[in-house]
Amino acid sequence: MAQWTSAVGAAQLARLLNSQQERPAGPGTRRPPAYRALADGIRLLVLEGRVPVAARLPAERELALALSVSRTTVAAAYEALRTEGFLESRRGAGSWTAVPAGNPLPARGLEPLPPEALGSMIDLGCAALPAPEPWLTRAVQGALEELPPYAHTHGDYPAGLPALRAMIAERYTARGIPTMPEQIMVTTGAMGAIDAICHLFGGRGERIAVESPSYANILQLMREAGARLVPVAMAEGLAGWDLDRWRQVLREAAPRIAYVVADFHNPTGALADDDQRRRLVDAARSAGTVLVVDETMSELHLEPDLRMPRPVCGFDPAGSTVVTVGSASKAFWAGMRIGWVRAAPDVIRSLVAARAYADLGTPVVEQLAVSWLFSTGGWEEAVQIRRAQARDNRDALVAAVRRELPDWEFEIPQGGLTLWVRTGGLSGSRLAEVGEGVGVRVPSGPRFGVDGAFEGYVRLPFTVGGAVADEAATRLAAAARLLRTGATTPTEPPRTFVA
């Protein structure tokens, strides 16, 4: 019986491997033998989750033709992977990927680093900040005071607590977007919201247009739902969307859904302007595409004089095209798993009905805590703390990276939580791998792309500041030096670091 559960074609694997090619790093660089480079490339794809564990690899002859190398090179690479525990084979069943005994399974998204690893590892993988106290504690205390009446009910509110739905609707109305509570569904975080939307409008094999790059965890959610992702390249730097490309993709591919982050895009930090928003809504309406707009970063504007554009749903007065997703996780705290959907009432009714086969509803205490924040002004106070913290962290990280890695390129966003960095010709995947060895965890660019794109990038979040930002940049510079000399492991383990 075959031990593999999926398959990777020769052409697909060749594209992924070719995307890892980095520009020459200068004199003194040691080039490994061809078979070793191929084995390392496949191993790295497995460790990053870009090739799943238990995926059948192409036959040696097929991969050799796709890569324009000898079959001997592929055979030697496969044998090296088998010896290291990253490949298993059986006569008649082929070869499939594996991980050595004792190794953790690779993550396919950007999961938080376990707390026990924080002593020696600086975590730049998760773009989330600690809670803005004392507001978390006050919100939970306020929620407990409001809890007794709800404790006498069954506790399942598939659409969300009526009071919270009304408050969220009022907040949209205050932004100039008249909204009724019937247009709001409370969800378990933004991920829960987008998962529900994809199941309602999408389906296995449906096309979903996505920005390229885009948020890694959402891309993986869509892949695992069986969607066919259609990437649409962002404009250069912080310029936002390339509307000519969007119109072409919407017209030619006719995707059922398009997912965009208009406010401080993750990972680039771009902010779409009013004209781009209007034109994208018009193009989506013409194509019959549902435009799913992620607003989770919208309140994290870091410059006091920045005038925020109108919400994207403001350019869809009929409510037939735009579905908006919001969340407390980025603006307040990731541990507050409260999100919401704003859409036409019939869409909300369909989403609510589908929850009977999913999670039934969102936890009541957390909803009451967010409701308390909205009703007391605590939300605004907490978000001010969050903005100041993110601004300070951004400025410290920018200064540290410019000092330690002057050949890395980036533009400074006016909000959000992420810096999208071109790594001076180094492979982002290999930098992430070597970085773990020197004590800094950083997500590589290909996690934010489709089919191997953005190998020359990493994403740096504004989650550390001060001395920790300095140390993070120092460790990234050490990883870059190792890569440039052809090394893959440091000479000594990372030291424990306490800010």
Side-chain angles (χ1 to χ4, degrees), residues 162-184 340 342 371 374-376 380:
L164 181 56
R165 296 175 72 194
M167 289 182 191
I168 294 171
E170 288 172 6
R171 292 176 65 83
Y172 277 105
T173 300
R175 295 167 68 189
I177 315 297
T179 303
M180 304 179 295
E182 292 79 9
Q183 291 178 262
I184 301 295
W340 52 85
R342 181 198 181 276
S371 179
F374 286 160
S375 64
T376 62
E380 285 71 24

Side-chain angles (χ1 to χ4, degrees), residues 251-262:
R251 182 176 62 251
E252 296 178 358
R256 186 71 183 91
I257 301 172
Y259 168 76
V260 296
V261 185

Side-chain angles (χ1 to χ4, degrees), residues 12-358:
Q12 179 188 9
L13 184 56
R15 285 196 302 273
L16 291 169
L17 289 165
N18 288 334
S19 75
Q20 295 177 336
Q21 301 302 314
E22 56 197 82
R23 298 199 295 266
T29 299
R30 297 194 301 270
R31 296 295 182 188
Y35 86 89
R36 183 69 260 172
L38 176 56
D40 287 346
I42 295 173
R43 176 177 55 82
L44 190 57
L45 291 172
V46 173
L47 288 174
E48 282 213 320
R50 291 162 61 203
V51 168
V53 175
R56 186 179 186 274
L57 296 187
E60 294 170 2
R61 187 185 304 276
E62 293 174 359
L63 186 57
L65 287 172
L67 293 173
S68 299
V69 300
S70 71
R71 184 177 176 182
T72 302
T73 296
V74 177
Y78 278 15
E79 181 58 34
L81 290 167
R82 277 189 287 269
T83 300
E84 296 162 4
F86 285 94
L87 196 68
E88 296 181 10
S89 304
R90 179 177 298 169
R91 185 178 297 277
S95 299
W96 56 91
T97 56
V99 292
N103 277 38
L105 287 174
R108 303 196 70 186
L110 303 178
E111 79 295 348
L113 190 69
E116 62 269 19
L118 291 175
S120 60
M121 186 73 67
I122 297 176
D123 185 13
L124 299 181
C126 184
L129 290 162
E133 288 287 34
W135 294 106
L136 174 62
T137 300
R138 292 180 182 176
V140 173
Q141 290 171 342
L144 294 177
E145 292 175 1
E146 299 293 329
L147 182 60
Y150 295 93
H152 295 291
T153 73
H154 50 62
D156 288 334
Y157 294 86
L161 297 184
L164 181 56
R165 296 175 72 194
M167 289 182 191
I168 294 171
E170 288 172 6
R171 292 176 65 83
Y172 277 105
T173 300
R175 295 167 68 189
I177 315 297
T179 303
M180 304 179 295
E182 292 79 9
Q183 291 178 262
I184 301 295
M185 181 177 83
V186 180
T187 62
T188 308
M191 292 288 288
I194 293 170
D195 183 50
I197 293 165
C198 288
H199 279 88
L200 177 63
F201 289 107
R204 189 160 294 276
E206 286 279 6
R207 294 185 181 93
I208 299 180
V210 295
E211 297 151 326
S212 183
S214 187
Y215 179 35
N217 286 342
I218 293 296
L219 294 180
Q220 193 56 36
L221 181 155
M222 292 173 175
R223 289 188 189 101
E224 293 183 359
R228 298 163 60 191
L229 300 184
V230 182
V232 186
M234 296 287 288
E236 285 297 318
L238 299 177
W241 299 322
D242 184 328
L243 268 299
D244 289 337
R245 290 175 177 171
W246 269 107
R247 277 195 298 269
Q248 180 181 2
V249 167
L250 294 176
R251 182 176 62 251
E252 296 178 358
R256 186 71 183 91
I257 301 172
Y259 168 76
V260 296
V261 185
D263 301 295
F264 311 119
H265 174 258
N266 187 353
T268 68
L271 177 65
D273 61 30
D274 283 322
D275 185 57
Q276 289 175 320
R277 295 169 190 236
R278 180 184 298 105
R279 292 165 62 196
L280 184 57
V281 171
D282 290 345
R285 184 183 298 113
S286 297
T289 297
V290 175
L291 189 61
V292 180
V293 179
D294 185 334
E295 283 193 337
T296 53
M297 296 281 190
S298 64
E299 297 201 56
L300 292 176
H301 42 89
L302 306 184
E303 305 300 340
D305 58 348
L306 177 63
R307 187 191 72 83
M308 288 295 292
R310 184 173 174 80
V312 178
C313 57
F315 299 100
D316 180 36
S320 60
T321 299
V322 176
V323 175
T324 304
V325 173
S327 171
S329 296
K330 296 299 184 185
F332 186 75
W333 184 47
M336 188 69 76
R337 304 304 304 160
I338 298 295
W340 52 85
V341 178
R342 181 198 181 276
D346 62 317
V347 172
I348 295 298
R349 286 193 293 271
S350 297
L351 289 170
V352 170
R355 293 193 89 164
Y357 312 101

